[in-house]
Amino acid sequence: MIVRPANAGCVLITQPEHARLARRIMEHCVLLVENPRREAILRAIGDHDNGWAQSDAEPAVNDEGGVVDFISAPLEVRQGVWPRTIAGLAVEPYAAALVANHALFAYDRYREDPAWAAFFAGMNASRLEMLKSSGATIEELVADYAFLRLGDLISLAFCTGSTAPQVFREWTVRLSGPRVIVTPGIFGGAPVTFEVTARAVRPPFSSSVELREALERSASAILQGEAT
């Protein structure tokens, strides 16, 4: 679950919703137009967080009564979502390989942690297996991963409301008001307008049950933004 601060509380955005937003944004990326693997890349972007659907359907609270987000989720949750995501993409092995690569990149800071050893072994094996099935090369995978990572960063900047600049390779992604700015640009100079569905709640909650009941009563909120 993504938790974005808001007046008198916060808004919650599911991880699959964030990923779908990332795809909608990256469909406008001019660098992808002539890529022969464009459809598989967009599939990976749009589905890369589908494994979170189960935990997002059962949100939990932390010791302070706040909502547990995707960063502070228990270890077994953070590690368990990726095999489910990759399994769901197995019919599109190149997309699955890109998502396995994303998992390896996103958690690279834990590579020397023994508690993550089995995770990295499994993700490496999945990446190799899916890449072999796709017929693509590791060089193509590494190059194409930029689109998944950029889509993820753009969508996350907006969904989390974080204004901290994020740097990936030669690009910088930063949020300014409702606008996500990518430098150097990837949209051919044309702004990309978008919206995402969220739910507004007001922590603290005494239990996860109370949080879930509040979510059931809450109305959908539409957050609108722009990427340039």
Side-chain angles (χ1 to χ4, degrees):
M1 187 71 74
I2 295 173
V3 182
R4 175 176 174 159
N7 293 334
C10 62
V11 293
L12 307 183
I13 302 167
T14 68
Q15 289 283 78
E17 181 67 16
H18 137 70
R20 288 189 289 269
L21 173 60
R23 172 177 176 146
R24 293 196 298 273
I25 292 169
M26 293 304 289
E27 285 174 348
H28 298 272
C29 176
V30 296
L31 304 178
L32 252 178
V33 171
E34 296 183 2
N35 189 303
R37 297 169 297 282
R38 182 176 188 271
E39 290 307 313
I41 294 167
L42 289 174
R43 175 78 184 275
I45 297 170
D47 291 1
H48 79 267
D49 275 336
N50 280 0
W52 286 92
Q54 180 179 337
S55 60
D56 281 358
E58 300 176 344
V61 300
N62 56 32
D63 292 341
E64 291 74 40
V67 183
V68 174
D69 66 5
F70 69 101
I71 296 173
S72 58
L75 185 66
E76 62 271 18
V77 172
R78 284 178 286 153
Q79 293 183 352
V81 299
W82 301 102
R84 290 197 298 271
T85 304
I86 292 166
L89 285 169
V91 294
E92 183 72 82
Y94 191 65
L98 282 167
V99 172
N101 193 78
H102 180 60
L104 291 166
F105 183 90
Y107 295 109
D108 185 68
R109 62 192 180 278
Y110 299 117
R111 192 171 290 273
E112 302 304 320
D113 187 336
W116 286 79
F119 170 81
F120 281 104
M123 285 299 103
N124 273 310
S126 292
R127 181 177 63 173
L128 289 173
E129 178 186 357
M130 292 296 106
L131 186 60
K132 182 178 180 180
S133 296
S134 75
T137 67
I138 188 64
E139 290 79 14
E140 289 169 332
L141 183 79
V142 170
D144 289 343
Y145 175 64
F147 301 113
L148 172 50
R149 183 57 176 167
L150 284 172
D152 186 48
L153 288 176
I154 295 166
S155 180
L156 276 180
F158 181 78
C159 291
T160 63
S162 173
T163 58
Q166 299 295 319
V167 178
F168 175 70
R169 297 183 187 173
E170 66 264 39
W171 294 280
T172 299
V173 176
R174 65 181 180 88
L175 178 68
S176 177
R179 178 179 297 169
V180 185
I181 302 167
V182 184
T183 309
I186 61 173
F187 302 115
V192 179
T193 57
F194 58 79
E195 61 182 33
V196 66
T197 302
R199 293 268 181 177
V201 295
R202 292 189 177 185
F205 298 101
S206 61
S207 68
S208 297
V209 171
E210 184 182 1
L211 164 61
R212 294 167 194 172
E213 290 174 346
L215 269 176
E216 290 178 0
R217 296 191 303 268
S218 68
S220 295
I222 303 300
L223 308 180
Q224 296 180 322
E226 181 180 279
T228 61

CSV table of all heavy atoms in Angstrom, one decimal, residues 41-99:
chain,number,residue,atom,x,y,z
A,41,ILE,N,7.4,-4.6,-22.7
A,41,ILE,CA,7.9,-3.6,-21.7
A,41,ILE,C,6.7,-2.9,-21.0
A,41,ILE,O,6.7,-2.8,-19.8
A,41,ILE,CB,8.8,-2.6,-22.4
A,41,ILE,CG1,10.0,-3.2,-23.0
A,41,ILE,CG2,9.1,-1.4,-21.5
A,41,ILE,CD1,10.8,-2.3,-23.9
A,42,LEU,N,5.7,-2.5,-21.8
A,42,LEU,CA,4.5,-1.9,-21.2
A,42,LEU,C,3.8,-2.8,-20.3
A,42,LEU,O,3.2,-2.4,-19.3
A,42,LEU,CB,3.6,-1.3,-22.3
A,42,LEU,CG,4.1,-0.1,-23.0
A,42,LEU,CD1,3.2,0.3,-24.2
A,42,LEU,CD2,4.3,1.1,-22.1
A,43,ARG,N,3.7,-4.1,-20.7
A,43,ARG,CA,3.1,-5.1,-19.9
A,43,ARG,C,3.8,-5.2,-18.5
A,43,ARG,O,3.2,-5.3,-17.5
A,43,ARG,CB,3.1,-6.5,-20.6
A,43,ARG,CG,2.5,-7.6,-19.8
A,43,ARG,CD,1.0,-7.7,-19.7
A,43,ARG,NE,0.5,-8.7,-18.8
A,43,ARG,CZ,0.3,-10.0,-19.2
A,43,ARG,NH1,0.6,-10.3,-20.5
A,43,ARG,NH2,-0.2,-10.9,-18.4
A,44,ALA,N,5.1,-5.2,-18.6
A,44,ALA,CA,5.9,-5.3,-17.3
A,44,ALA,C,5.7,-4.1,-16.5
A,44,ALA,O,5.5,-4.2,-15.2
A,44,ALA,CB,7.4,-5.4,-17.7
A,45,ILE,N,5.6,-2.9,-17.1
A,45,ILE,CA,5.4,-1.7,-16.3
A,45,ILE,C,4.0,-1.7,-15.6
A,45,ILE,O,3.9,-1.5,-14.4
A,45,ILE,CB,5.5,-0.5,-17.2
A,45,ILE,CG1,6.9,-0.3,-17.8
A,45,ILE,CG2,5.1,0.8,-16.4
A,45,ILE,CD1,7.1,0.7,-18.9
A,46,GLY,N,3.0,-2.1,-16.4
A,46,GLY,CA,1.6,-2.1,-15.9
A,46,GLY,C,1.3,-3.1,-14.9
A,46,GLY,O,0.4,-3.0,-14.0
A,47,ASP,N,2.1,-4.2,-14.9
A,47,ASP,CA,1.8,-5.4,-14.0
A,47,ASP,C,2.8,-5.6,-13.0
A,47,ASP,O,2.7,-6.6,-12.2
A,47,ASP,CB,1.6,-6.7,-14.9
A,47,ASP,CG,0.3,-6.6,-15.7
A,47,ASP,OD1,-0.4,-5.6,-15.7
A,47,ASP,OD2,0.1,-7.6,-16.5
A,48,HIS,N,3.8,-4.7,-12.9
A,48,HIS,CA,5.0,-5.1,-12.0
A,48,HIS,C,4.7,-5.2,-10.5
A,48,HIS,O,5.5,-5.7,-9.8
A,48,HIS,CB,6.1,-4.1,-12.3
A,48,HIS,CG,6.0,-2.8,-11.6
A,48,HIS,ND1,5.5,-1.7,-12.2
A,48,HIS,CD2,6.4,-2.4,-10.4
A,48,HIS,CE1,5.5,-0.7,-11.4
A,48,HIS,NE2,6.1,-1.0,-10.3
A,49,ASP,N,3.6,-4.6,-10.1
A,49,ASP,CA,3.2,-4.7,-8.7
A,49,ASP,C,2.0,-5.5,-8.4
A,49,ASP,O,1.4,-5.4,-7.3
A,49,ASP,CB,3.1,-3.3,-8.1
A,49,ASP,CG,4.4,-2.7,-7.7
A,49,ASP,OD1,5.3,-3.5,-7.4
A,49,ASP,OD2,4.5,-1.5,-7.6
A,50,ASN,N,1.5,-6.4,-9.3
A,50,ASN,CA,0.3,-7.1,-9.2
A,50,ASN,C,0.4,-8.1,-8.0
A,50,ASN,O,-0.6,-8.4,-7.4
A,50,ASN,CB,0.0,-7.9,-10.4
A,50,ASN,CG,-0.6,-7.1,-11.5
A,50,ASN,OD1,-0.9,-5.9,-11.3
A,50,ASN,ND2,-1.0,-7.7,-12.6
A,51,GLY,N,1.6,-8.5,-7.6
A,51,GLY,CA,1.8,-9.4,-6.5
A,51,GLY,C,1.4,-8.8,-5.1
A,51,GLY,O,1.2,-9.5,-4.1
A,52,TRP,N,1.3,-7.4,-5.1
A,52,TRP,CA,0.9,-6.8,-3.9
A,52,TRP,C,-0.6,-6.8,-3.6
A,52,TRP,O,-1.1,-6.3,-2.6
A,52,TRP,CB,1.3,-5.3,-3.9
A,52,TRP,CG,2.8,-5.1,-3.7
A,52,TRP,CD1,3.8,-5.0,-4.7
A,52,TRP,CD2,3.5,-4.9,-2.5
A,52,TRP,NE1,5.0,-4.8,-4.2
A,52,TRP,CE2,4.9,-4.8,-2.8
A,52,TRP,CE3,3.1,-4.9,-1.2
A,52,TRP,CZ2,5.8,-4.6,-1.8
A,52,TRP,CZ3,4.1,-4.7,-0.2
A,52,TRP,CH2,5.4,-4.5,-0.5
A,53,ALA,N,-1.4,-7.2,-4.6
A,53,ALA,CA,-2.9,-7.1,-4.5
A,53,ALA,C,-3.4,-7.8,-3.3
A,53,ALA,O,-4.3,-7.2,-2.6
A,53,ALA,CB,-3.5,-7.7,-5.8
A,54,GLN,N,-2.9,-8.9,-2.9
A,54,GLN,CA,-3.4,-9.7,-1.7
A,54,GLN,C,-3.2,-8.9,-0.5
A,54,GLN,O,-4.1,-8.7,0.4
A,54,GLN,CB,-2.7,-11.0,-1.7
A,54,GLN,CG,-3.1,-11.9,-0.5
A,54,GLN,CD,-2.4,-13.2,-0.4
A,54,GLN,OE1,-1.9,-13.7,-1.5
A,54,GLN,NE2,-2.3,-13.8,0.7
A,55,SER,N,-2.0,-8.4,-0.2
A,55,SER,CA,-1.7,-7.6,1.0
A,55,SER,C,-2.4,-6.3,1.0
A,55,SER,O,-2.8,-5.8,2.0
A,55,SER,CB,-0.2,-7.4,1.2
A,55,SER,OG,0.4,-6.7,0.1
A,56,ASP,N,-2.5,-5.6,-0.2
A,56,ASP,CA,-3.2,-4.4,-0.2
A,56,ASP,C,-4.7,-4.5,0.1
A,56,ASP,O,-5.4,-3.6,0.5
A,56,ASP,CB,-3.1,-3.7,-1.6
A,56,ASP,CG,-1.7,-3.1,-1.8
A,56,ASP,OD1,-0.9,-3.1,-0.8
A,56,ASP,OD2,-1.4,-2.6,-2.9
A,57,ALA,N,-5.3,-5.7,-0.2
A,57,ALA,CA,-6.7,-6.0,0.1
A,57,ALA,C,-6.9,-6.2,1.6
A,57,ALA,O,-8.0,-6.1,2.1
A,57,ALA,CB,-7.1,-7.2,-0.6
A,58,GLU,N,-5.8,-6.4,2.4
A,58,GLU,CA,-5.9,-6.6,3.8
A,58,GLU,C,-4.9,-5.6,4.5
A,58,GLU,O,-3.9,-6.1,5.1
A,58,GLU,CB,-5.6,-8.0,4.2
A,58,GLU,CG,-6.6,-9.0,3.5
A,58,GLU,CD,-6.2,-10.5,3.8
A,58,GLU,OE1,-5.0,-10.7,4.2
A,58,GLU,OE2,-7.0,-11.3,3.6
A,59,PRO,N,-5.0,-4.3,4.4
A,59,PRO,CA,-4.1,-3.4,5.0
A,59,PRO,C,-4.0,-3.5,6.5
A,59,PRO,O,-5.0,-3.9,7.1
A,59,PRO,CB,-4.6,-2.0,4.5
A,59,PRO,CG,-6.1,-2.3,4.4
A,59,PRO,CD,-6.2,-3.6,3.8
A,60,ALA,N,-2.8,-3.2,7.0
A,60,ALA,CA,-2.6,-3.3,8.4
A,60,ALA,C,-2.1,-2.0,9.0
A,60,ALA,O,-1.7,-1.1,8.3
A,60,ALA,CB,-1.5,-4.4,8.7
A,61,VAL,N,-2.2,-1.9,10.3
A,61,VAL,CA,-1.7,-0.7,11.0
A,61,VAL,C,-0.4,-1.1,11.8
A,61,VAL,O,-0.2,-2.2,12.2
A,61,VAL,CB,-2.8,-0.2,12.0
A,61,VAL,CG1,-4.0,0.2,11.3
A,61,VAL,CG2,-3.1,-1.2,13.1
A,62,ASN,N,0.4,0.0,12.0
A,62,ASN,CA,1.6,-0.2,12.8
A,62,ASN,C,1.4,0.1,14.3
A,62,ASN,O,0.2,0.4,14.7
A,62,ASN,CB,2.7,0.7,12.2
A,62,ASN,CG,2.4,2.1,12.1
A,62,ASN,OD1,1.6,2.7,12.9
A,62,ASN,ND2,2.9,2.8,11.1
A,63,ASP,N,2.4,0.1,15.1
A,63,ASP,CA,2.3,0.3,16.5
A,63,ASP,C,1.8,1.7,16.9
A,63,ASP,O,1.2,1.9,17.9
A,63,ASP,CB,3.6,0.1,17.2
A,63,ASP,CG,4.1,-1.3,17.1
A,63,ASP,OD1,3.2,-2.2,16.9
A,63,ASP,OD2,5.3,-1.6,17.3
A,64,GLU,N,1.9,2.7,15.9
A,64,GLU,CA,1.5,4.0,16.2
A,64,GLU,C,0.0,4.3,15.7
A,64,GLU,O,-0.5,5.4,15.7
A,64,GLU,CB,2.4,5.1,15.5
A,64,GLU,CG,3.8,5.2,16.2
A,64,GLU,CD,4.7,4.0,15.9
A,64,GLU,OE1,4.6,3.5,14.7
A,64,GLU,OE2,5.3,3.5,16.8
A,65,GLY,N,-0.5,3.2,15.1
A,65,GLY,CA,-1.9,3.4,14.5
A,65,GLY,C,-1.9,3.9,13.1
A,65,GLY,O,-3.0,4.2,12.6
A,66,GLY,N,-0.8,4.0,12.5
A,66,GLY,CA,-0.7,4.5,11.1
A,66,GLY,C,-0.8,3.3,10.2
A,66,GLY,O,-0.8,2.1,10.6
A,67,VAL,N,-0.9,3.5,8.9
A,67,VAL,CA,-1.1,2.5,7.9
A,67,VAL,C,0.3,2.0,7.5
A,67,VAL,O,1.2,2.7,7.2
A,67,VAL,CB,-1.8,3.0,6.7
A,67,VAL,CG1,-2.1,1.9,5.7
A,67,VAL,CG2,-3.2,3.6,7.1
A,68,VAL,N,0.5,0.7,7.5
A,68,VAL,CA,1.7,0.0,7.0
A,68,VAL,C,1.8,0.2,5.5
A,68,VAL,O,1.0,-0.2,4.8
A,68,VAL,CB,1.8,-1.5,7.4
A,68,VAL,CG1,3.0,-2.1,6.8
A,68,VAL,CG2,1.7,-1.6,8.9
A,69,ASP,N,2.9,0.8,5.1
A,69,ASP,CA,3.1,1.0,3.6
A,69,ASP,C,4.0,0.0,3.1
A,69,ASP,O,4.5,-0.9,3.7
A,69,ASP,CB,3.6,2.4,3.4
A,69,ASP,CG,5.0,2.7,3.9
A,69,ASP,OD1,5.7,1.8,4.4
A,69,ASP,OD2,5.5,3.8,3.8
A,70,PHE,N,4.3,0.1,1.8
A,70,PHE,CA,5.1,-0.9,1.0
A,70,PHE,C,6.5,-0.9,1.5
A,70,PHE,O,7.2,-1.9,1.3
A,70,PHE,CB,5.0,-0.7,-0.5
A,70,PHE,CG,5.7,0.5,-1.0
A,70,PHE,CD1,6.9,0.5,-1.6
A,70,PHE,CD2,5.1,1.8,-0.9
A,70,PHE,CE1,7.6,1.6,-2.0
A,70,PHE,CE2,5.7,2.9,-1.3
A,70,PHE,CZ,7.0,2.8,-1.9
A,71,ILE,N,7.0,0.1,2.1
A,71,ILE,CA,8.4,0.2,2.6
A,71,ILE,C,8.5,-0.5,3.9
A,71,ILE,O,9.5,-1.2,4.2
A,71,ILE,CB,8.9,1.6,2.6
A,71,ILE,CG1,8.9,2.3,1.2
A,71,ILE,CG2,10.3,1.7,3.3
A,71,ILE,CD1,9.2,3.7,1.2
A,72,SER,N,7.5,-0.3,4.8
A,72,SER,CA,7.6,-0.9,6.1
A,72,SER,C,6.9,-2.2,6.3
A,72,SER,O,6.8,-2.7,7.4
A,72,SER,CB,7.1,0.1,7.1
A,72,SER,OG,5.7,0.5,6.8
A,73,ALA,N,6.4,-2.8,5.2
A,73,ALA,CA,5.7,-4.1,5.3
A,73,ALA,C,6.6,-5.1,5.8
A,73,ALA,O,7.9,-5.0,5.6
A,73,ALA,CB,5.2,-4.4,3.9
A,74,PRO,N,6.1,-6.2,6.4
A,74,PRO,CA,6.9,-7.2,6.9
A,74,PRO,C,7.8,-7.9,5.8
A,74,PRO,O,7.5,-7.9,4.7
A,74,PRO,CB,5.9,-8.3,7.5
A,74,PRO,CG,4.7,-7.5,7.8
A,74,PRO,CD,4.7,-6.4,6.7
A,75,LEU,N,8.9,-8.4,6.3
A,75,LEU,CA,9.9,-9.0,5.3
A,75,LEU,C,9.2,-10.0,4.4
A,75,LEU,O,9.5,-10.1,3.2
A,75,LEU,CB,11.1,-9.6,6.1
A,75,LEU,CG,12.2,-10.2,5.3
A,75,LEU,CD1,13.0,-9.1,4.6
A,75,LEU,CD2,13.2,-10.9,6.2
A,76,GLU,N,8.4,-10.9,5.0
A,76,GLU,CA,7.8,-12.0,4.2
A,76,GLU,C,6.9,-11.4,3.2
A,76,GLU,O,6.7,-12.1,2.1
A,76,GLU,CB,7.1,-13.0,5.1
A,76,GLU,CG,6.0,-12.4,5.9
A,76,GLU,CD,6.4,-11.9,7.3
A,76,GLU,OE1,7.6,-11.6,7.5
A,76,GLU,OE2,5.5,-11.8,8.2
A,77,VAL,N,6.3,-10.3,3.4
A,77,VAL,CA,5.4,-9.7,2.4
A,77,VAL,C,6.2,-9.1,1.3
A,77,VAL,O,6.0,-9.3,0.1
A,77,VAL,CB,4.5,-8.6,3.1
A,77,VAL,CG1,3.8,-7.8,2.0
A,77,VAL,CG2,3.6,-9.2,4.1
A,78,ARG,N,7.3,-8.3,1.6
A,78,ARG,CA,8.1,-7.7,0.6
A,78,ARG,C,8.8,-8.7,-0.3
A,78,ARG,O,8.9,-8.5,-1.5
A,78,ARG,CB,9.1,-6.8,1.2
A,78,ARG,CG,8.5,-5.4,1.8
A,78,ARG,CD,9.6,-4.6,2.4
A,78,ARG,NE,9.9,-5.1,3.7
A,78,ARG,CZ,11.1,-4.9,4.3
A,78,ARG,NH1,12.1,-4.3,3.7
A,78,ARG,NH2,11.3,-5.4,5.5
A,79,GLN,N,9.2,-9.8,0.3
A,79,GLN,CA,9.8,-10.8,-0.5
A,79,GLN,C,8.8,-11.7,-1.3
A,79,GLN,O,9.1,-12.2,-2.4
A,79,GLN,CB,10.7,-11.7,0.4
A,79,GLN,CG,11.9,-11.0,1.0
A,79,GLN,CD,12.8,-11.9,1.8
A,79,GLN,OE1,12.4,-13.0,2.1
A,79,GLN,NE2,13.9,-11.4,2.3
A,80,GLY,N,7.6,-11.9,-0.7
A,80,GLY,CA,6.7,-12.8,-1.3
A,80,GLY,C,5.9,-12.3,-2.5
A,80,GLY,O,5.4,-13.1,-3.3
A,81,VAL,N,5.8,-11.0,-2.6
A,81,VAL,CA,5.0,-10.4,-3.7
A,81,VAL,C,5.6,-10.7,-5.1
A,81,VAL,O,4.9,-10.9,-6.1
A,81,VAL,CB,4.8,-8.9,-3.6
A,81,VAL,CG1,4.1,-8.6,-2.3
A,81,VAL,CG2,6.1,-8.2,-3.6
A,82,TRP,N,7.0,-10.8,-5.2
A,82,TRP,CA,7.6,-10.9,-6.5
A,82,TRP,C,7.5,-12.3,-7.2
A,82,TRP,O,7.2,-12.3,-8.4
A,82,TRP,CB,9.1,-10.5,-6.3
A,82,TRP,CG,9.2,-9.1,-5.8
A,82,TRP,CD1,9.4,-8.8,-4.5
A,82,TRP,CD2,8.8,-7.9,-6.5
A,82,TRP,NE1,9.3,-7.4,-4.4
A,82,TRP,CE2,9.0,-6.9,-5.6
A,82,TRP,CE3,8.5,-7.6,-7.8
A,82,TRP,CZ2,8.7,-5.5,-5.9
A,82,TRP,CZ3,8.3,-6.3,-8.2
A,82,TRP,CH2,8.4,-5.3,-7.2
A,83,PRO,N,7.6,-13.4,-6.5
A,83,PRO,CA,7.3,-14.7,-7.1
A,83,PRO,C,5.9,-14.7,-7.7
A,83,PRO,O,5.6,-15.3,-8.8
A,83,PRO,CB,7.5,-15.7,-6.1
A,83,PRO,CG,8.5,-15.1,-5.1
A,83,PRO,CD,8.1,-13.6,-5.1
A,84,ARG,N,4.9,-14.1,-7.0
A,84,ARG,CA,3.5,-14.1,-7.5
A,84,ARG,C,3.4,-13.3,-8.7
A,84,ARG,O,2.7,-13.7,-9.7
A,84,ARG,CB,2.6,-13.6,-6.4
A,84,ARG,CG,2.4,-14.5,-5.2
A,84,ARG,CD,1.1,-14.1,-4.4
A,84,ARG,NE,1.2,-12.8,-3.8
A,84,ARG,CZ,1.7,-12.5,-2.6
A,84,ARG,NH1,2.3,-13.5,-1.9
A,84,ARG,NH2,1.8,-11.3,-2.2
A,85,THR,N,4.1,-12.1,-8.7
A,85,THR,CA,4.0,-11.3,-9.9
A,85,THR,C,4.6,-11.9,-11.1
A,85,THR,O,4.0,-11.9,-12.2
A,85,THR,CB,4.8,-9.9,-9.6
A,85,THR,OG1,4.2,-9.3,-8.5
A,85,THR,CG2,4.6,-9.0,-10.8
A,86,ILE,N,5.8,-12.5,-10.9
A,86,ILE,CA,6.5,-13.2,-12.0
A,86,ILE,C,5.7,-14.4,-12.6
A,86,ILE,O,5.6,-14.6,-13.8
A,86,ILE,CB,7.9,-13.6,-11.6
A,86,ILE,CG1,8.7,-12.3,-11.4
A,86,ILE,CG2,8.5,-14.5,-12.6
A,86,ILE,CD1,10.0,-12.6,-10.6
A,87,ALA,N,5.1,-15.1,-11.7
A,87,ALA,CA,4.2,-16.3,-12.1
A,87,ALA,C,3.1,-15.8,-12.9
A,87,ALA,O,2.7,-16.4,-13.9
A,87,ALA,CB,3.7,-17.0,-10.9
A,88,GLY,N,2.5,-14.6,-12.6
A,88,GLY,CA,1.4,-14.1,-13.3
A,88,GLY,C,1.8,-13.6,-14.7
A,88,GLY,O,0.9,-13.4,-15.6
A,89,LEU,N,3.1,-13.3,-14.9
A,89,LEU,CA,3.6,-12.8,-16.2
A,89,LEU,C,4.3,-13.9,-17.0
A,89,LEU,O,4.9,-13.6,-18.0
A,89,LEU,CB,4.6,-11.7,-15.9
A,89,LEU,CG,3.9,-10.3,-15.5
A,89,LEU,CD1,5.0,-9.4,-15.1
A,89,LEU,CD2,3.2,-9.7,-16.7
A,90,ALA,N,4.3,-15.1,-16.6
A,90,ALA,CA,5.0,-16.2,-17.2
A,90,ALA,C,4.7,-16.4,-18.7
A,90,ALA,O,5.5,-16.8,-19.5
A,90,ALA,CB,4.9,-17.5,-16.5
A,91,VAL,N,3.4,-16.0,-19.0
A,91,VAL,CA,3.0,-16.2,-20.5
A,91,VAL,C,3.7,-15.1,-21.3
A,91,VAL,O,3.6,-15.2,-22.6
A,91,VAL,CB,1.5,-16.1,-20.6
A,91,VAL,CG1,0.8,-17.3,-19.9
A,91,VAL,CG2,1.0,-14.8,-20.0
A,92,GLU,N,4.2,-14.1,-20.7
A,92,GLU,CA,5.0,-13.0,-21.4
A,92,GLU,C,6.4,-13.0,-20.8
A,92,GLU,O,6.7,-12.1,-19.9
A,92,GLU,CB,4.3,-11.7,-21.2
A,92,GLU,CG,4.9,-10.5,-21.9
A,92,GLU,CD,4.7,-10.6,-23.4
A,92,GLU,OE1,3.6,-10.2,-23.9
A,92,GLU,OE2,5.6,-11.0,-24.1
A,93,PRO,N,7.2,-14.0,-21.1
A,93,PRO,CA,8.5,-14.2,-20.3
A,93,PRO,C,9.4,-12.9,-20.3
A,93,PRO,O,10.1,-12.7,-19.3
A,93,PRO,CB,9.2,-15.4,-21.0
A,93,PRO,CG,8.5,-15.5,-22.3
A,93,PRO,CD,7.1,-15.0,-22.2
A,94,TYR,N,9.4,-12.1,-21.4
A,94,TYR,CA,10.3,-10.9,-21.3
A,94,TYR,C,9.8,-9.9,-20.3
A,94,TYR,O,10.6,-9.3,-19.6
A,94,TYR,CB,10.4,-10.3,-22.7
A,94,TYR,CG,11.5,-9.2,-22.8
A,94,TYR,CD1,12.8,-9.6,-22.7
A,94,TYR,CD2,11.1,-7.9,-23.0
A,94,TYR,CE1,13.8,-8.6,-22.7
A,94,TYR,CE2,12.2,-6.9,-23.0
A,94,TYR,CZ,13.5,-7.3,-22.9
A,94,TYR,OH,14.5,-6.4,-23.0
A,95,ALA,N,8.5,-9.8,-20.2
A,95,ALA,CA,7.9,-8.9,-19.2
A,95,ALA,C,8.3,-9.5,-17.8
A,95,ALA,O,8.6,-8.7,-16.9
A,95,ALA,CB,6.4,-8.8,-19.3
A,96,ALA,N,8.2,-10.8,-17.6
A,96,ALA,CA,8.5,-11.4,-16.3
A,96,ALA,C,10.0,-11.2,-16.0
A,96,ALA,O,10.3,-10.9,-14.8
A,96,ALA,CB,8.2,-12.9,-16.4
A,97,ALA,N,10.9,-11.3,-17.0
A,97,ALA,CA,12.3,-11.1,-16.8
A,97,ALA,C,12.6,-9.6,-16.3
A,97,ALA,O,13.4,-9.4,-15.4
A,97,ALA,CB,13.1,-11.4,-18.0
A,98,LEU,N,11.8,-8.7,-16.9
A,98,LEU,CA,12.0,-7.3,-16.5
A,98,LEU,C,11.6,-7.1,-15.1
A,98,LEU,O,12.2,-6.3,-14.3
A,98,LEU,CB,11.2,-6.4,-17.5
A,98,LEU,CG,11.8,-6.1,-18.8
A,98,LEU,CD1,10.7,-5.5,-19.8
A,98,LEU,CD2,13.0,-5.2,-18.7
A,99,VAL,N,10.5,-7.7,-14.7
A,99,VAL,CA,10.0,-7.6,-13.3
A,99,VAL,C,11.0,-8.2,-12.3
A,99,VAL,O,11.3,-7.7,-11.3
A,99,VAL,CB,8.6,-8.1,-13.1
A,99,VAL,CG1,8.2,-8.2,-11.7
A,99,VAL,CG2,7.6,-7.3,-13.9
